[in-house]
Amino acid sequence: MSTTRTALPAASAASHAARSGLIQITVTGVLWGTTGVAVQLLRESTGLSPVSIGFHRLAIAALVLLACTAGRLRTIVATVRAAPVPLLLTGVGLGLYQALYFAAVAWAGVSVATIVSLGLAPVLAAAWESAHARRLPGPLRLGTLVAAVAGLVLITAATEHPGAAAPAPLLGLLAAAGSGLGYAVTTLISRRVSQRTAPMTLTTISTTVGALTLAPFALVTGVSVPVRLDTLALLLHLGVVTTAVAYALFYAGLRTTPGSVAAVLTLLEPLTAAALAVALLHEPLPLPVIVGGVLLLTAVAATYLAPDRADLR
């Protein structure tokens, strides 16, 4: 009897932790969804390249986090010394998959870059987890994965703005695939690291390494920005809200959430971006975006209805 009473609170605590992790990563996806509008406004007002904006985003996050954790610098250094390879891979991956995504946008367009990179990540993560567990995903996992990717395709294809022909579609496709692979691998690595590293510490290390990774690319395209209140506000939003806060929540959520499920939940990013474009930029709301949004929200709801089944069963 005592064993049963002990097991019930433990099961309840595990279920609560699983739901908390899902909420943290869902909020991450929503925060990341505000990135597109901010980047668009920055590019229009400053002429910065997407890679340079990505560098500023990570650099600002790293500086803010290093200032907030100044009293724990010895702990951060000790953490890096204890597991240098996975921590460095997480940071380098964070910088590289962003750079590859930006290159894919420039070479093949937003639609191809988003669908391939974001759509590939949860599929690759689920495939790795299935191979590692030596069993196929269950119906719930497959259903949420198909619904989420289908929703992503509908939303992205419908919100793509017509423009000039893609200058290098094949290179863009390869860059998008590399970005998706990098995102999936980085998510899987950071999930393992997050089990033994505090989210704030992990975010500080990864953003610092990521900024250093993007620095050479950014210096080539230019990093100077005009000192204006609107520009500084947008950069601070990207650095603090969509990076420092968002990645701290992401790494905290990864403690109890499988990488493939996390990749599905962060597909709320394009849905949030589409909603903001309608609300703030007064863009039209096509039917495919509505259908895609319903599919994505259904996939997210499925993970909340059965958080204890968010594994490969």
Side-chain angles (χ1 to χ4, degrees):
M1 182 67 71
S2 60
T3 303
T4 303
R5 289 178 179 176
T6 304
L8 288 176
S12 177
S15 179
H16 176 73
R19 289 186 183 276
S20 297
L22 294 175
I23 292 171
Q24 289 166 327
I25 294 179
T26 299
V27 174
T28 297
V30 173
L31 292 179
W32 284 349
T34 66
T35 303
V37 172
V39 169
Q40 181 176 341
L41 293 174
L42 267 177
R43 292 189 67 186
E44 291 174 354
S45 62
T46 66
L48 282 173
S49 70
V51 173
S52 295
I53 294 174
F55 163 74
H56 282 294
R57 174 188 179 187
L58 291 175
I60 290 171
L63 290 174
V64 170
L65 289 166
L66 285 170
C68 292
T69 58
R72 293 183 290 169
L73 288 180
R74 288 185 178 180
T75 302
I76 293 175
V77 172
T79 302
V80 174
R81 287 179 176 175
V85 174
L87 287 169
L88 290 176
L89 286 177
T90 298
V92 171
L94 174 61
L96 287 182
Y97 74 67
Q98 287 194 51
L100 286 171
Y101 174 77
F102 294 147
V105 170
W107 290 335
V110 175
S111 181
V112 170
T114 303
I115 290 173
V116 174
S117 61
L118 290 185
L120 193 60
V123 175
L124 291 174
W128 168 256
E129 289 169 354
S130 297
H132 185 68
R134 296 182 180 179
R135 53 178 172 171
L136 294 174
L140 177 63
R141 174 65 64 84
L142 288 175
T144 56
L145 191 60
V146 171
V149 174
L152 169 69
V153 172
L154 286 171
I155 292 171
T156 306
T159 54
E160 169 73 3
H161 297 288
L170 180 58
L171 284 177
L173 181 62
L174 292 174
S179 177
L181 176 62
Y183 178 40
V185 171
T186 302
T187 298
L188 293 170
I189 293 173
S190 57
R191 183 174 192 270
R192 297 189 65 179
V193 176
S194 68
Q195 307 301 311
R196 57 183 183 273
T197 307
M200 198 76 163
T201 300
L202 180 52
T203 309
T204 303
I205 295 170
S206 62
T207 53
T208 301
V209 175
L212 293 174
T213 302
L214 282 185
F217 303 98
L219 289 173
V220 171
T221 58
V223 294
S224 61
V225 294
V227 182
R228 298 198 309 264
L229 185 60
D230 59 337
T231 301
L232 294 177
L234 288 170
L235 286 172
L236 284 173
H237 173 76
L238 287 173
V240 177
V241 178
T242 73
T243 307
V245 174
Y247 274 99
L249 287 170
F250 184 64
Y251 294 139
L254 279 178
R255 290 184 164 191
T256 56
T257 307
S260 58
V261 174
V264 166
L265 291 176
T266 53
L267 291 183
L268 286 171
E269 177 183 350
L271 177 59
T272 303
L276 287 176
V278 172
L280 301 180
L281 304 180
H282 307 292
E283 294 187 2
L285 183 62
L287 180 61
V289 174
I290 297 175
V291 176
V294 170
L295 286 172
L296 263 177
L297 292 176
T298 300
V300 171
T303 64
Y304 276 88
L305 291 174
D308 56 328
R309 296 177 59 196
D311 54 18
L312 291 169
R313 287 177 289 183

